[in-house]
Amino acid sequence: MLLELDDITLRYGRIEALHGLSIHVEEGEIVALIGANGAGKTTTMRAISGLNPLASGKIRFAGKDITTMRADLRVPLGICQSPEGRGVFPGMTVLENLDMGAYTRKDRAGVAADLKRVFELFPRLEERQKQISGTMSGGEQQMLAVGRALMSRPKLLLLDEPSMGLAPMIIQQIFDIIVEINQQGTTVLLVEQNAQQALARAHRGYVLETGRIVKEGTGQDLLHDPAVKEAYLGVA
Ligand code: ATP
């Protein structure tokens, strides 16, 4: 098992956002976490990357207990989050942003090879490598955020709403690239409002409701589950 969240509870002040949540991700999987606004999806991702401390429970990564490990120490272990709302450095060029993704790495040749791979996945980024990131379109910034995350060569890529605010054609491309990244060996945990697209490509999925997992199954099982269809797929 690559990642295991064991009965975790997380509070913002007096508000408990996660109430004893347990999920796991096997190496090589794409796992989708779906749920309505405010269900706790982003909070779960922040717990994994270490941005929010737990009130109780354990997080294990590759057999190691990382529950209390600092966020910056989780990156070299291979955990990388591409944040919701893109989060690129707007004043930096595309290439500078990609270099930032690799800041913990010392293997120059590996970094150069990964930059090549990112440019193959996203030819638009190669064309625009000298452009100031803040002047790029929403879809381009989203590609850059994913590309930057890949530059840290994560074992586990945490993607928070990669389709947010994008046109349907770009969403399709982003999801296709997620599958490609996964086939090249990166495990993916994906948070999505766009449940249809996410479940269609995920090996497994979890449904999160107000800080609790209420359902889990294969992507296909969840796609065909009547309650999931009604609540999250816009099908009555
Ligand atoms: P969305 O799809 O709208 O982004 P989400 O499933 O990612 O939602 P979270 O952002 O994880 O949900 O929020 C879960 C709950 O925790 C919500 O009730 C939210 O209001 C609350 N919450 C999140 N961040 C904070 C914070 N910094 N302080 C207080 N409450 C917070």
Side-chain angles (χ1 to χ4, degrees):
M1 203 177 292
L2 186 62
L3 175 74
E4 188 183 9
L5 273 56
D6 184 5
D7 200 18
I8 71 166
T9 302
L10 195 149
R11 296 198 182 93
Y12 295 110
R14 287 187 311 169
I15 300 167
E16 190 171 283
L18 302 178
H19 326 284
L21 174 139
S22 297
I23 65 173
H24 69 272
V25 180
E26 305 280 349
E27 196 157 351
E29 281 189 315
I30 299 178
V31 173
L33 192 57
I34 64 171
N37 286 326
K41 304 181 298 294
T42 297
T43 300
T44 304
M45 294 301 226
R46 291 175 63 85
I48 299 166
S49 53
L51 298 172
N52 288 129
L54 305 188
S56 65
K58 289 240 175 293
I59 303 182
R60 291 184 202 89
F61 182 72
K64 195 179 163 84
D65 186 338
I66 60 161
T67 310
T68 57
M69 183 184 278
R70 269 173 25 205
D72 58 322
L73 299 178
R74 298 185 195 198
V75 178
L77 280 187
I79 300 178
C80 184
Q81 177 166 3
S82 177
E84 182 183 42
R86 291 149 202 158
V88 301
F89 300 110
M92 289 184 174
T93 66
V94 167
L95 190 58
E96 286 164 349
N97 262 284
L98 292 172
D99 282 342
M100 287 297 289
Y103 79 100
T104 61
R105 297 177 58 183
K106 294 182 180 66
D107 57 323
R108 294 258 171 133
V111 171
D114 283 350
L115 184 63
K116 195 162 163 260
R117 179 173 73 125
V118 167
F119 284 157
E120 278 163 14
L121 288 168
F122 300 106
R124 178 66 60 90
L125 296 183
E126 183 166 25
E127 290 162 28
R128 303 295 179 90
Q129 51 183 296
K130 297 209 175 71
Q131 186 168 334
I132 297 294
S133 305
T135 66
M136 305 237 290
S137 76
E140 289 165 349
Q141 290 190 40
Q142 189 64 270
M143 291 176 195
L144 179 55
V146 175
R148 190 182 63 190
L150 289 177
M151 290 302 293
S152 72
R153 190 165 267 284
K155 288 197 182 72
L156 176 67
L157 179 60
L158 304 172
L159 292 171
D160 195 348
E161 303 275 3
S163 77
M164 191 163 70
L166 302 182
M169 222 177 71
I170 310 285
I171 292 179
Q172 200 68 32
Q173 283 176 22
I174 292 267
F175 278 109
D176 287 347
I177 285 166
I178 291 168
V179 170
E180 211 172 318
I181 290 166
N182 174 253
Q183 286 169 349
Q184 292 178 3
T186 300
T187 304
V188 178
L189 178 62
L190 177 68
V191 156
E192 263 295 335
Q193 295 260 345
N194 197 331
Q196 172 83 42
Q197 296 273 357
L199 292 174
R201 287 165 175 86
H203 300 101
R204 287 187 309 111
Y206 292 93
V207 180
L208 187 56
E209 270 176 21
T210 55
R212 282 192 181 84
I213 299 296
V214 294
K215 201 162 269 190
E216 62 176 289
T218 66
Q220 289 304 315
D221 285 348
L222 293 175
L223 262 184
H224 297 110
D225 181 294
V228 172
K229 273 186 174 170
E230 193 182 337
Y232 302 105
L233 304 178
V235 192

